[in-house]
Amino acid sequence: MSQRTYNELWAEAQVELSRLLVEELPEEPILPQKDRAAFFQTVAMLYVRYLQVFRQLEKVYDQVVHPQKRRLVLHTLEGVMGRILELKNEMVDKELCEYHYMDDVLHDLKLTPADLEIAIPHYFLSERSKDNRERTTMLRNILQTMESTGMQKRVTKSMSQDEAIRIIQVAERARQGRLRAALNEASRRLSKIPMAEEPKPSDMDRAAVRIQKFWRGYVERKKAKAVRIEDMTFLGMTPHPKYQAPCEAIITADANETAIRNKQREHEDDYQKAVTEIANHLLEVEGQDIANNMKEQIRQWFLECRNLTGVFPDFPDDDEGGSAILFAEKDYEELLAEMAALEDDGKNKKGKEEEKKDAKKSKGKDGEEEEGLVMLPSAFLADLETCNKTFVDFWETRTESRNFNQRHEVELIKEEKRVDIESEIRVKVDEQMRQELADWRLAVEKTPAKVYAKKKAGKGDKKKKKGEKDLTADRTLESLCQEMVEEGLLKQASSVQMQDYLGDFNYLGTTLRQNDIEPMPSLADVRQLISLYGILPLGSHVVHEKAPLTKAILLVGPAGVGKKMLVHAICQETGATLFDLSPFNIAGKYPGKSGLAMMLHLVFKVARLMQPSVIWIGGAEKMFYKKVPKEERAIEPKRLKKDLPKSLKLIKEEDRVLIIGTCRDPINTDIKSLCKMYTKVILIPRPDYGSRYVLWKHLIEKHGGKITSALDLSSLTKISDGYTPGHMIQAIQQVITKRRILLQEKRPLTAIEFVAPLAKFSPVFQEEEEALKKWYAKTPLGKKRIKAAAEREEKLQAQAKAKGPAKKGKK
């Protein structure tokens, strides 16, 4: 598509965004809602609409080549991402559940389930900073060197000579047994072959008839199959072979995309050069005049203040804004009031918070009714309003008939750089005027500058907090990475994408909840949740700093549902560095208390330096065992239980570091300590029918199999109930071998071939899933949900009792 098309798409997204801002920021305050279901419906509607704006803006930012437009689109895109996360947090707080089903909202907005997918912005990887790319390259080189030289430490079990001889003997006897069995089978087949006899004429006629019968049947079946394929292709039920291979349109689209990427880089380089040249030109031409005007205004302010008060005023500090406050065209009295308000701001906040707490307590004690449900304040709406205003004021009505190549706008650069140059000059002018003010005081008031400096220092003294002690201050980042790679703590993420985690949409979620039945989430719901909590905050530092902070996520589910795959997908989509602190991986490494402190220091220091980073803890339940099993005492699974939560507290909003734990059997753990560390607990179930159908189809084709009418996918999906994606992959790998791929033309794949390999695995039974659901009900969010359900039930019973006597009285 052309640049004009994407400009129109941008305009459409901004129109919808302006409507959303009008709804969320009305002139009159929004009244609280008492109906929880109606409130959730409102928030869900906003969430879906913001999600559509996000998808449009992501596409625009990916394809537009104008450098200044891309900057504004990026600011808007980050604001929309943050608002989506805030609305998601709002829905979790009000519905008390991580999974939400919005098929009714989709129906009202005339959208499809595909419109709910979280699009992963391409710029997360393509526009990483130069330092980040250099660090990633350094880490890749270290990992390749370690793999080629075999320097990475491996835990090997010692073996005696007798044990080695015994293993060799067993393997050799097995080989001889297989060879003997093959010879016996061959001789048995030879003995069964009957002696050839001379055929009779009647036998030859019967043979000819039989051949004719089979041949005619084959021809008719082939014709019927061709007609069926033609009908199914016409109805869109099966893909046409012509469109299975990449067509010319797709190849052309890929070439156009590459050309757009090159043009974006070219225009960005030209823009950066123009910014430098224009800034230098403005500084040379207008810099001296700007500085002289500032000095005149400040001197005028000095004289006005002395005429009003009799003394020279205190010059504002840089923390208060410096002389920038003086240029706001305010009177001296208004300026003093504003500076006093800035000083008292911190004190007033604490008092207001205490008053709010006391008010809440008094309301709860008096038994008054709730005021209603209101959305929490947003950290992104003000930024979105600013971006929308910039678009309306400058870009909406701008004609670009003379800017066909979408180059940068020089006048816009001048306006932006004037503000930056004024800020730079103001800092230098402030230093000069502070000195000039001190000279005036000394000349007129005979007061040295030291007295005022001591007064200000007394006001601004604050206790400095002690920072974390750096145990490796004398070491380079490269040496730290090399040591962690050798110890196996720093690893290369597998090459998997979020779209590889397949699953279908849950089409009956809302209907089931309306009938008081809690539906099990589908794998598509899991994929959406991981994208929201893991990928969007790690990919954007603006979103991570302002959105609700999630430091640790726990993925709970049976073996084979794709927990580890999701961890690697997060790393691949955001370019994050992967650290492995699983109990089995750290067993025997960095022994002792000092060694453990050093290991955690290394991991979190390098994670901050190479952010975004993901710290993976496989078998997270082992850290919180109530009683450690005998077979696992040697690895000390509870080593990190005390020290890791302390390190977790040191992660701040600006640190894009995420801890992800994976857990398959959390039932025998200390749930209180586990949930205290992991703020988000995501339950991953076994795949439902729709997800299994999608998985079978995609995985068979991925491994080289062909989907034909002989392969009954519906029946295969039905009989594989309870099996995880891991089981399916193993079964497919056993069936679809190289030899079987070559035989597909003569003998197509059938569903019965996959049954025997599947039968070797133990499925996830309903009892196991129910046990996980009962465990999840004991988590803080599960307890809140059960409590809220009990309160609703009590209210309904009370209303029913109140209606009963009223009806009797009427009779």
Side-chain angles (χ1 to χ4, degrees):
M1 291 188 287
S2 65
Q3 292 296 304
R4 181 180 178 181
T5 305
Y6 290 111
N7 288 333
E8 291 173 356
L9 184 62
W10 182 26
E12 290 176 13
Q14 289 292 153
V15 168
E16 178 64 17
L17 180 61
S18 61
R19 290 174 186 158
L20 287 165
L21 291 173
V22 168
E23 291 180 21
E24 291 212 78
L25 299 170
E27 295 180 359
E28 297 180 1
I30 301 174
L31 296 175
Q33 293 188 28
K34 292 186 178 182
D35 188 357
R36 187 176 289 269
F39 180 79
F40 175 80
Q41 198 73 7
T42 304
V43 178
M45 187 72 74
L46 287 173
Y47 171 84
V48 175
R49 290 172 65 188
Y50 269 110
L51 192 55
Q52 304 316 303
V53 175
F54 163 66
R55 290 168 65 89
Q56 289 177 318
L57 289 176
E58 195 278 326
K59 193 180 295 182
V60 169
Y61 183 73
D62 187 52
Q63 296 296 320
V64 166
V65 298
H66 196 296
Q68 290 155 306
K69 288 180 183 178
R70 296 186 83 239
R71 275 163 173 74
L72 180 58
V73 172
L74 178 60
H75 293 324
T76 312
L77 180 62
E78 289 176 332
V80 171
M81 281 194 289
R83 187 58 185 149
I84 286 171
L85 289 174
E86 287 178 340
L87 292 171
K88 175 66 179 178
N89 189 56
E90 197 80 44
M91 289 192 291
V92 172
D93 287 343
K94 299 304 181 287
E95 204 178 28
L96 302 174
C97 184
E98 295 289 355
Y99 295 103
H100 310 293
Y101 306 99
M102 292 172 279
D103 34 300
D104 53 340
V105 178
L106 291 178
H107 184 268
D108 293 341
L109 296 176
K110 295 181 173 57
L111 299 174
T112 63
D115 294 320
L116 277 182
E117 285 293 328
I118 306 295
I120 310 299
H122 292 86
Y123 79 89
F124 283 177
L125 290 176
S126 61
E127 297 186 11
R128 287 185 296 172
S129 64
K130 185 179 178 182
D131 294 338
N132 198 353
R133 287 198 298 270
E134 289 176 356
R135 289 169 183 169
T136 305
T137 305
M138 176 196 70
L139 176 59
R140 191 182 298 114
N141 293 336
I142 292 173
L143 287 166
Q144 289 175 355
T145 305
M146 294 297 172
E147 288 176 2
S148 59
T149 57
M151 291 174 61
Q152 189 170 356
K153 295 184 179 179
R154 291 180 176 86
V155 180
T156 56
K157 185 180 178 182
S158 59
M159 184 184 295
S160 63
Q161 187 177 359
D162 294 340
E163 289 176 343
I165 291 170
R166 193 177 301 114
I167 290 172
I168 294 170
Q169 286 176 344
V170 169
E172 178 60 23
R173 286 168 185 164
R175 187 190 69 80
Q176 292 178 5
R178 287 193 296 271
L179 187 60
R180 237 181 275 116
L183 290 172
N184 292 336
E185 181 66 22
S187 62
R188 204 177 296 116
R189 285 177 182 171
L190 287 172
S191 64
K192 288 182 178 180
I193 296 175
M195 296 298 291
E197 297 180 1
E198 292 184 6
K200 298 178 182 179
S202 57
D203 295 336
M204 292 179 68
D205 294 339
R206 283 199 299 269
V209 170
R210 181 172 292 186
I211 291 170
Q212 289 174 353
K213 181 178 71 172
F214 277 100
W215 172 251
R216 288 171 181 169
Y218 167 75
V219 170
E220 292 301 323
R221 283 193 298 273
K222 192 173 181 180
K223 288 179 181 178
K225 183 180 177 182
V227 172
R228 177 177 171 78
I229 290 173
E230 187 179 352
D231 292 342
M232 297 294 281
T233 305
F234 176 74
L235 295 172
M237 302 292 288
T238 56
H240 198 280
K242 175 182 164 185
Y243 301 112
Q244 288 179 357
C247 59
E248 292 183 5
I250 294 175
I251 296 170
T252 306
D254 292 339
N256 291 339
E257 187 176 351
T258 305
I260 287 173
R261 296 279 182 271
N262 295 332
K263 194 176 287 187
Q264 284 176 350
R265 285 191 287 269
E266 180 187 343
H267 287 197
E268 180 64 26
D269 294 340
D270 293 344
Y271 172 74
Q272 294 295 343
K273 290 176 184 177
V275 166
T276 307
E277 292 173 1
I278 291 170
N280 294 335
H281 179 72
L282 287 174
L283 194 60
E284 290 175 6
V285 176
E286 303 178 9
Q288 191 61 41
D289 294 338
I290 293 172
N292 292 336
N293 290 336
M294 287 183 180
K295 289 179 182 178
E296 287 299 324
Q297 290 180 9
I298 294 171
R299 289 191 187 106
Q300 185 68 25
W301 181 70
F302 289 164
L303 296 174
E304 289 178 2
C305 293
R306 193 174 189 283
N307 292 336
L308 286 171
T309 61
V311 293
F312 287 112
D314 292 338
F315 200 90
D317 292 331
D318 291 333
D319 298 337
E320 297 171 350
S323 60
I325 325 175
L326 313 179
F327 302 147
E329 298 181 1
K330 295 180 181 179
D331 296 335
Y332 178 65
E333 296 176 358
E334 293 176 353
L335 188 60
L336 286 177
E338 185 177 339
M339 293 172 66
L342 286 170
E343 292 178 1
D344 298 338
D345 191 30
K347 297 177 183 178
N348 293 337
K349 279 183 181 177
K350 292 182 180 178
K352 288 179 182 178
E353 288 177 1
E354 290 176 1
E355 287 176 7
K356 286 180 181 179
K357 289 180 181 178
D358 295 338
K360 285 182 180 178
K361 288 180 181 178
S362 63
K363 282 181 183 179
K365 289 177 182 177
D366 297 337
E368 294 179 3
E369 293 182 1
E370 291 184 0
E371 293 183 0
L373 300 170
V374 183
M375 280 193 281
L376 297 172
S378 172
F380 294 94
L381 284 178
D383 297 338
L384 287 174
E385 197 172 18
T386 304
C387 293
N388 189 56
K389 188 176 184 301
T390 305
F391 172 79
V392 171
D393 293 345
F394 191 84
W395 293 108
E396 188 176 24
T397 57
R398 190 173 186 83
T399 57
E400 294 184 290
S401 56
R402 296 183 180 180
N403 190 11
F404 180 76
N405 292 324
Q406 293 290 291
R407 297 284 180 174
H408 53 266
E409 302 283 346
V410 176
E411 293 302 322
L412 185 58
I413 295 176
K414 287 182 179 180
E415 291 178 12
E416 293 173 353
K417 294 313 292 182
R418 277 195 183 96
V419 177
D420 296 338
I421 289 170
E422 286 179 3
S423 300
E424 292 176 9
I425 293 173
R426 181 182 58 77
V427 174
K428 296 178 182 178
V429 169
D430 285 357
E431 292 178 3
Q432 296 173 6
M433 297 311 295
R434 283 192 185 95
Q435 183 61 40
E436 189 172 327
L437 179 61
D439 296 340
W440 283 17
R441 278 175 174 159
L442 186 61
V444 178
E445 299 176 359
K446 308 297 182 184
T447 307
K450 292 182 180 179
V451 176
Y452 291 94
K454 286 181 181 178
K455 288 180 180 179
K456 284 199 170 187
K459 290 179 183 178
D461 281 346
K462 291 181 181 179
K463 292 183 180 179
K464 294 183 179 179
K465 294 183 180 180
K466 292 184 178 180
E468 185 185 3
K469 189 177 179 181
D470 192 353
L471 302 176
T472 54
D474 56 338
R475 294 183 59 183
T476 62
L477 177 61
E478 188 172 356
S479 67
L480 296 176
C481 290
Q482 189 166 354
E483 179 184 342
M484 295 179 71
V485 171
E486 290 176 0
E487 295 293 341
L489 300 178
L490 187 56
K491 295 186 175 181
Q492 184 74 38
S494 301
S495 181
V496 291
Q497 305 295 327
M498 207 59 173
Q499 61 186 7
D500 298 332
Y501 191 79
L502 301 170
D504 199 13
F505 184 73
N506 194 335
Y507 297 93
L508 295 174
T510 304
T511 307
L512 291 173
R513 276 196 172 167
Q514 288 173 352
N515 293 309
D516 295 330
I517 301 172
E518 183 60 29
M520 287 303 290
S522 67
L523 298 187
D525 299 324
V526 175
R527 182 175 64 239
Q528 185 180 8
L529 211 57
I530 296 298
S531 299
L532 285 170
Y533 290 150
I535 294 178
L536 295 188
L538 281 181
S540 170
H541 68 278
V542 175
V543 175
H544 194 274
E545 287 180 9
K546 293 184 177 181
L549 183 61
T550 301
K551 294 183 180 181
I553 299 173
L554 182 65
L555 306 180
V556 182
V561 292
K563 301 183 292 294
K564 185 177 176 181
M565 178 184 176
L566 289 170
V567 175
H568 287 272
I570 291 173
C571 295
Q572 282 294 329
E573 296 287 4
T574 59
T577 312
L578 179 62
F579 300 86
D580 187 359
L581 286 182
S582 304
F584 281 107
N585 189 49
I586 64 173
K589 299 172 184 177
Y590 295 95
K593 191 174 181 181
S594 59
L596 181 61
M598 175 60 75
M599 181 178 68
L600 289 175
H601 168 75
L602 284 173
V603 169
F604 280 88
K605 179 181 179 179
V606 177
R608 288 190 184 95
L609 292 173
M610 303 207 39
Q611 59 180 288
S613 299
V614 171
I615 300 174
W616 172 48
I617 303 175
E621 73 275 13
K622 300 180 188 300
M623 264 176 57
F624 301 96
Y625 271 145
K626 292 178 181 177
K627 185 178 179 181
V628 180
K630 291 182 180 179
E631 60 271 14
E632 294 184 12
R633 287 178 184 173
I635 65 171
E636 298 181 61
K638 299 175 75 171
R639 277 182 75 191
L640 300 174
K641 184 177 180 181
K642 292 183 180 179
D643 295 332
L644 187 60
K646 294 177 183 177
S647 301
L648 183 63
K649 290 179 181 178
L650 299 175
I651 297 177
K652 301 175 183 177
E653 287 82 0
E654 59 268 18
D655 300 327
R656 285 187 290 160
V657 179
L658 179 65
I659 295 179
I660 303 179
T662 55
C663 169
R664 67 172 66 174
D665 186 19
I667 295 169
N668 297 321
T669 58
D670 180 9
I671 191 170
K672 187 177 180 181
S673 303
L674 184 70
C675 295
K676 190 176 181 181
M677 178 174 167
Y678 295 100
T679 51
K680 293 289 182 184
V681 180
I682 299 174
L683 185 63
I684 304 178
R686 56 184 185 173
D688 56 1
Y689 178 87
S691 297
R692 290 199 306 277
Y693 188 92
V694 173
L695 280 164
W696 278 118
K697 187 176 184 299
H698 177 81
L699 292 174
I700 289 173
E701 291 177 343
K702 183 181 178 181
H703 286 79
K706 292 182 180 179
I707 307 297
T708 63
S709 57
L711 179 57
D712 190 354
L713 277 180
S714 181
S715 299
L716 183 59
T717 304
K718 189 68 177 175
I719 62 174
S720 59
D721 186 15
Y723 290 95
T724 63
H727 295 148
M728 296 179 189
I729 291 172
Q730 293 182 56
I732 290 169
Q733 287 173 348
Q734 291 181 30
V735 173
I736 305 179
T737 59
K738 290 182 180 179
R739 184 172 180 274
R740 187 68 186 86
I741 292 172
L742 296 174
L743 292 173
Q744 284 186 104
E745 295 296 333
K746 297 180 179 178
R747 186 162 57 88
L749 289 171
T750 58
I752 197 66
E753 295 180 64
F754 298 93
V755 175
L758 273 179
K760 297 177 183 177
F761 307 113
S762 297
V764 180
F765 295 104
Q766 188 71 27
E767 293 78 10
E768 298 177 45
E769 197 170 77
E770 291 297 327
L772 282 176
K773 287 174 72 175
K774 287 180 181 178
W775 174 86
Y776 186 78
K778 297 176 184 177
T779 61
L781 194 63
K783 287 180 179 178
K784 288 179 183 178
R785 186 169 178 80
I786 292 172
K787 185 179 178 182
E791 289 176 356
R792 284 198 299 271
E793 189 66 28
E794 288 177 2
K795 284 183 180 179
L796 290 173
Q797 290 178 359
Q799 290 174 1
K801 288 180 181 178
K803 288 179 181 179
K807 288 181 180 179
K808 290 180 181 178
K810 287 181 181 180
K811 289 180 181 179

